[in-house]
Amino acid sequence: ARFDLGFAPANPRLFGLYEEEMRARGQALRAMHGPGRPLCIHLAEDVEQGWRELLPYAVHVAQSYAAWADETGMHKSPFHGLGSEAAMRAAGIFQVWTPEQMLEYAAGLQWPATLGFMPLLGGLAPEAGWRSLSLLEAAMPRLQELQSKGASGT
């Protein structure tokens, strides 16, 4: 609220605090987005190779967030128990998709919507992040078309 920006908390219960603070500052509410799932989309031409590339970094991030949650008493954090590939995939917080899979997912969203990309997640190699972003760039025209259709209600 202090920076007069939009708000996208990991915990939707924080919306009330944001609204209260914006009113106290005499500021108009900005865009508010709930926590998007997946939190991080990594695009790859080969999903299995993409998981091999992303997994150690996603596990590091999940374990870090789980530890921070424990320190603050949030023992029901969605990041707990994500130390294995099977658990990571099942949780859906991090996803590796082809551009086509991402577009299929986006086609089913209510717009406005949030798609999360973290190309350097947890120390992921910049080359891997650039590959993912390049695939996103190639898919952007189709993604923007989906967004336009969703925003217009058609």
Side-chain angles (χ1 to χ4, degrees):
R2 180 174 47 146
F3 297 110
D4 196 19
L5 302 171
F7 189 55
N11 183 339
R13 292 181 296 194
L14 296 176
F15 282 124
L17 291 172
Y18 170 76
E19 291 173 357
E20 184 179 307
E21 183 65 19
M22 290 297 281
R23 278 193 291 279
R25 292 173 172 277
Q27 296 167 227
L29 293 178
R30 301 292 181 229
M32 294 187 291
H33 302 281
R37 283 278 178 108
L39 180 65
C40 172
I41 300 167
H42 181 75
L43 296 179
E45 292 176 359
D46 177 332
V47 170
E48 296 308 314
Q49 175 59 34
W51 270 112
R52 284 190 294 277
E53 188 170 65
L54 185 70
L55 186 63
Y57 304 100
V59 167
H60 167 73
V61 167
Q63 290 176 339
S64 296
Y65 281 152
W68 294 331
D70 285 343
E71 289 173 12
T72 60
M74 293 180 59
H75 302 293
K76 292 185 179 181
S77 166
F79 296 101
H80 283 103
L82 299 183
S84 71
E85 182 174 353
M88 187 67 67
R89 286 185 184 223
I93 296 172
F94 304 95
Q95 287 289 353
V96 177
W97 289 333
T98 64
E100 292 74 23
Q101 289 170 315
M102 183 262 310
L103 290 166
E104 288 173 18
Y105 173 78
L109 293 174
Q110 290 279 119
W111 294 92
T114 301
L115 295 175
F117 296 87
M118 298 181 192
L120 299 176
L121 179 76
L124 182 67
E127 299 80 23
W130 275 119
R131 280 193 304 275
S132 179
L133 289 176
S134 294
L135 292 169
L136 175 60
E137 181 180 36
M140 281 305 295
R142 291 169 50 206
L143 188 57
Q144 288 170 325
E145 184 179 307
L146 289 171
Q147 182 182 19
S148 294
K149 286 180 182 177
S152 67
T154 59

